[in-house]
């Protein structure tokens, strides 16, 4: 795999000859690599003595410099990045503390809070890999800085996750993702230990706007694609654990592009008791949506305000507040669409003319308080309360008049590409009036007790969910003058033998009003321990989760259920010359139904729906090594999941529609590989490769592919720069994945329709010039003297202009009575300009 990048540069030479100037630039920057001056990272924290009192005038030293702690015990030290370092803490009357074998990535902020003792020499050795601390639990630690650099139509943390093996996404307009055969509802997301949610009704990626996570506020990103510990929660697939910054200095940052703008403010008080980080974001997806084949009048407004505040009453008691206000107003008036499809021998086209519009509003608010109490050097307690509220409206009236026909393929014709003869005409009227109001309140307590090499962790959480939903959707279809009724027994037409007098009804119609209240009580306890077996290191984590929930509401009987989920993780680091860790994870993962999983295709609540269950078995290893005198790591993992009591669903764009039953079993198995490190000095890049198979068996009819059965995925994240102009940088992400099942027409048997979408291929390129950073500043008096960072660049999304399909539109042929699967293509090639400044 190490040789992949070398021929890659030659490949880009050939591509550049075909794609002119834009691809030529890509080749130039891919083919240049040289040494940069060393980049920096930051280590910060608060130093305490045995009585948990702040310790001032502690000397902190590294190979590249040193500092001392202030009267509050606070310190801040800049160190060299991408190099193994040792940090020594020393103070008169106290034994020194050594932090050994630490490798930090560029611009990473590493928090370390030592307790200095007077009697025992204390050494804290951190086992490291190419990107910092090596986790026994199998958690992948990602650089938060990558999320702000790597180009993408919807840039951010999720954009980086999509470059990992086993993470499924074929929609660049969406921040949602599936992991190892799971769907979008099977992932946990935490921000500073506070669980966050996303809107319920969004059905298309272009309606989303933002992820909850503000990348400019992030300090640390941890991600687990399966086999995670009991403390993380009850979902089937993955955990994304985000830590927002605790500012160490005042900073103001702003960013603007053709897609929107954002600003982030970091503050800290003079006595360092109070700090805050606040982000304001605005986004407009018009640039992306207007590149699609459907022409429309598009007027979206996506605004998001977040703030994370910290107040330190003392060295023992810290109070935090996380607040978020999000407004998503989506207004779209589609006009026309033409999609050419078929084969070279039989090319066809779908032309659509629209009337009407859709107006959707998603307003969300989250407020959370978190109190940390450091009882002593061994015991830490915290208490969290949060309130999440969302009000969502989907109103649309859209009439689509379509024509299905053959197209002119004569290269000399003036009508090349236009429809020459019709095979079918018709109309479709879609109407929706959906309203949802959801309130989620949580109270939780977590504790952690550390003693020597053992860690005992526990937690208790109460959640109240109140959802009020009114869904009214209808679809009318008229094909060649004949009104299409649902394919049900009462609408069978036996003319002329029998008169047909059935009423005109919508082809699809949902009309339901639901009110549900769910109370959940969950808890967990887990024990982690590290053991030395001679020179070998062995670690384990044993944990168990329990949850009891009670569901009640209007129109159905109250229902209660209980689940118990044991989990275990092992890690073994042999005393070899090679730095390698082996991991084994196993356990039971159960996902109690949330509101959307309780609602069936007709909009009716099914209170008897049980928790979906999965057994995870994972075996992996992480091998860290030096290559070209730079740190690298190869991470590999093989996994198997067996699932039962599965609630089957359909996937349309990003909208999940559950059958609301537990009548299926399923399985997933696969292999993930990722090689990451400094392919170019001072940068972080990786190559990932994943293979998976996931199938389900519904009502014992046999196994068929699940909607997320993405067999093969390859991704490259690559950073480079021009050797003679090191401030001219390039960021490239490449993704290839095989097609997933394309769904089936309404009322059709999914066992009959097993066609797949075309393979997903995408490349995004970003090139920027850094005018100011930590290595290049301006003297006092210069207008850029107070500027800490200034960069200007451009991005090319979908560099090779690949046509990727997200779903199919099913269109009837009046002659053959067949339905054609017409692909709904995603965005084409787009140029974006981007400016970033930090003070």
């Amino acid at each position: 795999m190490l040789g992949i990048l070398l021929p890659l540069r030659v490949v880009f030479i050939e591509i550049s000859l075909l794609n002119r100037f834009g691809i030529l630039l890509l080749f130039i920057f891919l083919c240049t690599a040289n040494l940069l001056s060393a980049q920096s990272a930051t280590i910060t924290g608060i130093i305490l003595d045995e009585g948990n009192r702040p310790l001032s005038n502690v000397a902190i030293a590294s190979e590249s410099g040193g500092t001392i702690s202030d009267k509050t015990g606070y310190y801040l030290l800049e160190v060299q990045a991408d190099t193994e370092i040792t940090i020594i803490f020393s103070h008169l009357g106290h034994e020194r503390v050594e932090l050994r074998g630490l490798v930090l990535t560029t611009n990473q902020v590493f928090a370390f809070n030592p307790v200095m003792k007077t009697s025992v020499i204390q050494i804290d050795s951190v086992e490291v890999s190419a990107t910092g601390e090596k986790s026994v639990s199998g958690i992948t630690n990602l650089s938060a800085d990558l999320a702000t650099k790597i180009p993408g139509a919807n840039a951010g943390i999720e954009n980086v996750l999509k470059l990992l093996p086993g993470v499924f996404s074929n929609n660049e307009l969406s921040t949602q993702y599936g992991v190892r055969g799971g769907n979008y509802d099977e992932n946990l997301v935490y921000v500073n230990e506070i669980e966050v949610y996303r809107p319920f009704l969004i059905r298309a990626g272009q309606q989303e706007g933002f992820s909850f996570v503000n990348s400019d506020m992030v300090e640390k990103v941890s991600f687990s694609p399966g086999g995670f510990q009991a403390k993380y929660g009850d979902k089937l697939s993955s955990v994304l654990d985000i830590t927002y910054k605790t500012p160490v200095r005042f900073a103001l940052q702003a960013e603007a592009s053709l897609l929107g703008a954002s600003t982030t403010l970091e503050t800290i008080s003079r006595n360092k008791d109070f700090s805050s980080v606040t982000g304001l974001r605005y986004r407009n997806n018009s640039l992306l949506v207007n590149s699609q084949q459907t022409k429309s009048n598009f007027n979206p407004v996506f605004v998001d305000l977040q703030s994370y505040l910290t107040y330190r009453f003392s060295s023992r008691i810290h109070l935090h507040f996380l607040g978020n206000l999000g407004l998503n107003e989506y207004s779209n008036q589609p006009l026309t669409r033409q999609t050419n499809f078929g084969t070279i021998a039989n090319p066809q086209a779908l032309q659509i003319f629209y009337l009407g519009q859709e107006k959707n509003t998603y307003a969300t608010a989250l407020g959370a308080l978190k109190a940390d109490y450091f009882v002593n050097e061994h015991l830490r307690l915290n208490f969290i309360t949060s309130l999440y509220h969302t009000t969502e409206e989907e109103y649309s009236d859209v009439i689509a008049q379509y024509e299905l026909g053959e197209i002119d393929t004569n290269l000399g014709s003036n009508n090349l590409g236009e429809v020459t003869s019709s095979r079918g005409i018709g109309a479709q009227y879609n109407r929706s009036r959906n309203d949802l109001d959801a309130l989620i309140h949580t109270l939780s307590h977590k504790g952690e007790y550390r003693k020597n090499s053992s860690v005992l962790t526990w937690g208790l959480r109460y959640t109240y969910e109140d959802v009020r939903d009114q869904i009214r959707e209808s679809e009318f279809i008229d094909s060649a003058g004949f009104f299409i009724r649902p394919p049900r027994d009462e609408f069978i037409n036996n003319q002329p033998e029998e008169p047909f007098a059935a009423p005109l009804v919508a082809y699809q119609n949902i009309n339901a009003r639901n009110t549900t209240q769910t109370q959940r009580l969950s808890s967990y306890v887990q024990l982690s321990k590290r053991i030395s077996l001679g020179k070998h290191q062995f670690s384990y984590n044993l944990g168990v989760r329990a949850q009891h929930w009670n569901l009640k509401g209007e129109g159905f009987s109250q229902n209660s259920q209980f689940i118990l989920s044991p989990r275990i993780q092992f890690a073994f680091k042999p005393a070899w010359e090679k730095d390698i860790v082996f991991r084994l994870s196993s356990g039971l993962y159960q996902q109690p139904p949330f509101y959307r999983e309780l609602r069936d295709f007709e909009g009716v609540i099914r209170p008897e729906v049980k928790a979906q269950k999965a057994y995870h078995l994972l075996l992996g290893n992480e091998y860290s090594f030096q290559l070209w005198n730079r740190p690298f790591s190869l991470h590999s993992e093989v996994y198997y999941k067996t699932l039962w009591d599965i609630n089957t669903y359909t996937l349309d764009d990003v909208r999940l529609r559950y059958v609301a039953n537990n009548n299926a079993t399923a399985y997933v198995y696969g292999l993930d590989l990722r090689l990451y490190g400094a392919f170019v000095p001072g940068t972080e890049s990786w190559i990932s490769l994943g293979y998976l198979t996931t199938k389900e068996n519904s009502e014992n009819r046999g196994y068929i592919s699940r909607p997320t059965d993405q067999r093969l995925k390859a991704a490259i994240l690559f950073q480079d720069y021009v050797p003679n102009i090191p401030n001219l940088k390039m960021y490239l992400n490449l993704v290839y994945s095989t097609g997933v099942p394309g769904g089936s027409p309404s009322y059709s048997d999914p066992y009959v329709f097993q066609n797949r979408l075309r393979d997903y291929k995408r490349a995004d390129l970003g090139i920027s010039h850094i005018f100011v950073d930590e290595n290049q500043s301006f003297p006092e008096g210069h207008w850029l003297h107070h500027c800490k960072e200034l960069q200007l660049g451009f991005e090319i999304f979908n560099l090779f202009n690949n046509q990727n399909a997200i779903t199919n539109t099913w269109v009837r042929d009046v002659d053959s009575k067949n339905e054609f699967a017409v692909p709904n293509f995603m965005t084409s090639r787009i140029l974006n300009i981007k400016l970033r400044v930090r003070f």
Side-chain angles (χ1 to χ4, degrees), residues 10-27:
V10 179
V11 171
F12 278 118
I13 297 176
E14 300 175 357
I15 295 175
S16 65
L17 297 177
L18 300 175
N19 291 274
R20 300 180 187 178
F21 181 73
I23 312 303
L24 180 61
L25 283 176
L26 172 61
F27 160 73

Side-chain angles (χ1 to χ4, degrees), residues 540-593:
Y540 66 84
N541 179 283
L542 304 175
V544 62
R545 286 192 66 86
Q547 184 175 144
H548 176 272
W549 73 95
N550 177 271
L551 173 69
K552 63 180 182 179
E554 297 179 3
F556 59 86
S557 301
Q558 181 173 311
N559 187 31
S560 298
Q561 298 182 49
F562 174 80
I563 57 173
L564 192 67
S565 306
R567 302 171 190 177
I568 187 169
Q569 294 85 31
F570 293 101
F572 176 65
K573 187 178 188 303
W576 298 346
E577 291 184 6
K578 296 181 179 180
D579 182 8
I580 189 167
V581 173
F582 297 96
R583 299 190 188 95
L584 175 67
S585 300
S586 182
L588 183 60
Y589 295 80
Q590 304 187 66
Q591 181 168 315

Side-chain angles (χ1 to χ4, degrees), residues 188-195 232-233 239-242 461:
L188 289 160
V189 180
Y190 293 97
V191 172
N192 291 73
E193 301 183 277
I194 300 163
E195 185 173 0
Y232 280 116
V239 174
L240 176 61
D241 192 3
I242 301 294
R461 174 174 171 174

Side-chain angles (χ1 to χ4, degrees), residues 22 148 165 208 220 268 284 304 317 356 359 366 396 437 441 444 456 465 505 549 558 627 639 659 692 714 755 758 806:
T148 61
E208 280 192 28
K220 182 181 178 182
I268 186 167
N284 188 316
D304 172 86
I317 300 177
K359 290 186 177 182
L366 170 70
S396 69
D437 190 311
H441 180 225
S444 67
L456 178 66
E465 303 161 4
V505 298
W549 73 95
Q558 181 173 311
L627 182 66
Y639 56 90
V659 179
L692 74 83
N755 65 306
R758 60 180 64 189
I806 180 63

